[in-house]
């Protein structure tokens, strides 16, 4: 177990673990911490507590101190500078005629640099833009191209479920999501129904995938041959969540019966072929009338003569 604090750098952002380094923090305190991008200041959303070592991404960065009045004043000044730098960058992008969409401007806590995040369909040569911004803002400039998922996480919004985006609330990273997950969960394959506001497959498809994989292993497929209390039959309908299945008994004209997957024995997961499904005899194929070949009425091409 390791003692940590959880810190957010945005109100709706994901929390990150930091080593309190012997300092007692309370929820709502502002902490100056060391990050991979340099010194930053964030709000403590969970005070000193212990977590399993496996849940920590090492090396664990340290909290330097509780934020002072001077630190809080600097945060407010950086917010004003960020808004001004964003407008300046948009004007410069339009001036240079670059095909890029500016997403966000972030000032470093110590004011040493400003980072501009943008999206674009292809690669962008922004070397002249960096020089122009550096001569205007008189500080170190960084431009970073991000994807549509990162853009959605930065801007935030409301998903089709009515809740704020998961990526901007609590996800620390994007998990791989595939169309196979939607198929196994019985969802509509309409892209508009399984895609998020970013245009990619919804991250929440991953949340229940492990449960669906477990249930699908113990649930017979539609068309599987099973043995139940009433006899042997073919599965015609399945509800993976509840485990209820519908079975059509072999040789019976009665309505299909409803039972549960725990009450049947799976004989075959694939439907057995009937005699009528077999291919016709080769001898019968030979006696079938052959379609006459179409005659080619085109005249032969004349050979080229030497000039």
């Amino acid at each position: 177990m390791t003692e940590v604090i959880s810190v957010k750098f945005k109100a709706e952002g994901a929390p990150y673990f930091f080593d309190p380094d012997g300092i007692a923090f309370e929820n709502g305190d502002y902490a100056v911490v060391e990050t991979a991008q340099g010194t930053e200041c964030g709000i403590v959303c969970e005070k000193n507590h212990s977590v399993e070592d496996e849940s920590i991404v090492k090396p664990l960065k340290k909290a330097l101190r509780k934020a002072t009045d001077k630190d809080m004043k600097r945060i407010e000044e950086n917010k004003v500078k960020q808004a001004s730098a964003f407008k300046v960058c948009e004007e410069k992008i339009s001036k240079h005629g670059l095909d890029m969409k500016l997403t966000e401007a972030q000032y470093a806590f110590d004011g040493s640099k400003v980072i501009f995040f943008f999206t674009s369909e292809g690669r962008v040569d922004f070397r002249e833009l960096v020089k122009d911004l550096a001569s205007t803002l008189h500080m170190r400039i960084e431009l970073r191209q991000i994807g549509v998922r990162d853009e959605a996480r930065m801007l935030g919004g409301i998903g089709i479920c009515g809740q704020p985006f998961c990526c901007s609330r609590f996800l620390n990273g994007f998990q791989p999501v595939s169309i196979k997950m939607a198929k196994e969960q019985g969802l509509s394959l309409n892209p508009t129904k399984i895609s998020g506001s970013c245009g990619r497959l919804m991250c929440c498809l991953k949340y229940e995938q492990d449960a669906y994989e477990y249930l699908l292993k113990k649930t017979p497929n539609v068309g599987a041959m099973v043995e139940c209390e009433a006899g042997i039959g073919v599965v015609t309908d399945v509800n993976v969540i509840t485990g209820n299945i519908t079975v059509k008994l072999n040789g019976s004209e009665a309505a299909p019966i409803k039972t549960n997957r725990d009450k049947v024995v799976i004989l075959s997961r694939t439907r057995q072929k009937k005699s009528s499904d077999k291919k016709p005899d080769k001898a019968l194929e030979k006696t079938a009338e052959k379609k006459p070949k179409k005659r080619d009425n085109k005249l032969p091409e004349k050979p080229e003569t030497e000039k």
Side-chain angles (χ1 to χ4, degrees):
M1 302 289 285
T2 303
E3 185 182 14
V4 298
I5 57 172
S6 300
V7 178
K8 283 185 177 182
F9 299 101
K10 288 186 178 181
E12 296 296 334
Y16 298 89
F17 289 145
F18 289 92
D19 180 4
D21 197 24
I23 304 173
F25 289 92
E26 296 293 333
N27 292 348
D29 288 345
Y30 280 84
V32 179
V33 297
E34 180 185 354
T35 69
Q37 284 75 34
T39 305
E40 296 292 341
C41 184
I43 186 170
V44 178
C45 58
E46 195 170 358
K47 61 182 182 180
N48 301 50
H49 63 284
S50 298
V51 296
E52 298 288 344
D53 294 338
E54 292 76 12
S55 60
I56 298 175
V57 179
K58 296 182 179 181
L60 188 64
K61 300 292 184 179
K62 292 184 178 182
L64 302 178
R65 64 179 184 274
K66 287 186 178 182
T68 61
D69 293 339
K70 185 178 180 181
D71 294 328
M72 299 304 298
K73 184 178 179 181
R74 178 179 292 180
I75 292 174
E76 296 301 322
E77 291 175 352
N78 287 345
K79 288 181 180 179
V80 176
K81 291 179 181 179
Q82 283 176 182
S84 176
F86 188 90
K87 292 180 180 179
V88 171
C89 188
E90 280 189 322
E91 293 174 357
K92 299 297 182 182
I93 290 173
S94 178
K95 174 185 174 182
H96 289 274
L98 297 176
D99 184 18
M100 53 192 291
K101 177 186 174 185
L102 190 62
T103 301
E104 190 177 71
Q106 289 183 1
Y107 256 73
F109 174 69
D110 56 4
S112 60
K113 64 180 178 180
V114 59
I115 307 173
F116 295 100
F117 298 91
F118 70 93
T119 58
S120 178
E121 294 183 359
R123 298 186 64 181
V124 181
D125 185 2
F126 49 73
R127 288 175 292 183
E128 294 300 324
L129 174 62
V130 172
K131 294 178 182 177
D132 200 354
L133 288 171
S135 62
T136 303
L137 300 176
H138 304 288
M139 62 188 312
R140 182 182 168 190
I141 305 296
E142 286 189 17
L143 270 83
R144 296 182 186 177
Q145 185 172 356
I146 59 176
V148 290
R149 288 194 169 191
D150 292 301
E151 181 185 26
R153 177 170 60 181
M154 286 184 175
L155 298 179
I158 303 297
I160 60 174
C161 59
Q163 295 290 327
F165 293 162
C166 297
C167 56
S168 63
R169 271 195 301 165
F170 57 85
L171 290 182
N172 289 329
F174 295 107
Q175 296 293 328
V177 186
S178 65
I179 196 70
K180 179 184 175 184
M181 296 180 181
K183 291 180 180 179
E184 292 180 345
Q185 296 176 27
L187 301 176
S188 170
L189 299 184
N190 186 343
T192 59
K193 294 184 178 180
I194 59 176
S195 299
S197 300
C198 61
R200 300 292 188 266
L201 291 174
M202 294 187 295
C203 297
C204 54
L205 291 176
K206 180 67 176 178
Y207 298 167
E208 299 177 356
Q209 182 59 21
D210 292 340
Y212 271 96
E213 290 178 356
Y214 169 75
L215 293 175
L216 285 171
K217 287 181 181 179
K218 55 187 297 189
T219 304
N221 305 325
V222 173
M225 190 72 67
V226 298
E227 181 179 0
C228 58
E229 295 178 354
I232 297 176
V234 177
V235 178
T236 59
D237 188 50
V238 172
N239 188 319
V240 179
I241 300 297
T242 62
N244 295 329
I245 62 176
T246 304
V247 180
K248 175 66 176 177
L249 297 177
N250 293 344
S252 175
E253 298 297 331
I257 64 171
K258 294 185 178 181
T259 182
N260 192 273
R261 60 174 166 238
D262 297 329
K263 298 180 180 180
V264 302
V265 177
I266 302 175
L267 303 178
S268 174
R269 286 194 172 271
T270 57
R271 187 172 183 176
Q272 299 294 328
K273 291 184 178 180
K274 299 180 180 178
S275 58
S276 59
D277 297 336
K278 294 181 179 179
K279 294 181 179 180
D281 193 354
K282 291 184 179 180
L284 295 176
E285 291 181 354
K286 291 181 180 180
T287 58
E289 293 183 1
K290 297 181 180 179
K291 293 183 179 180
K293 295 182 179 179
K294 293 182 179 180
R295 295 182 62 185
D296 190 0
N297 295 326
K298 292 183 180 180
L299 296 175
E301 296 181 358
K302 293 182 180 180
E304 296 183 358
T305 57
E306 295 182 2
K307 294 183 179 180

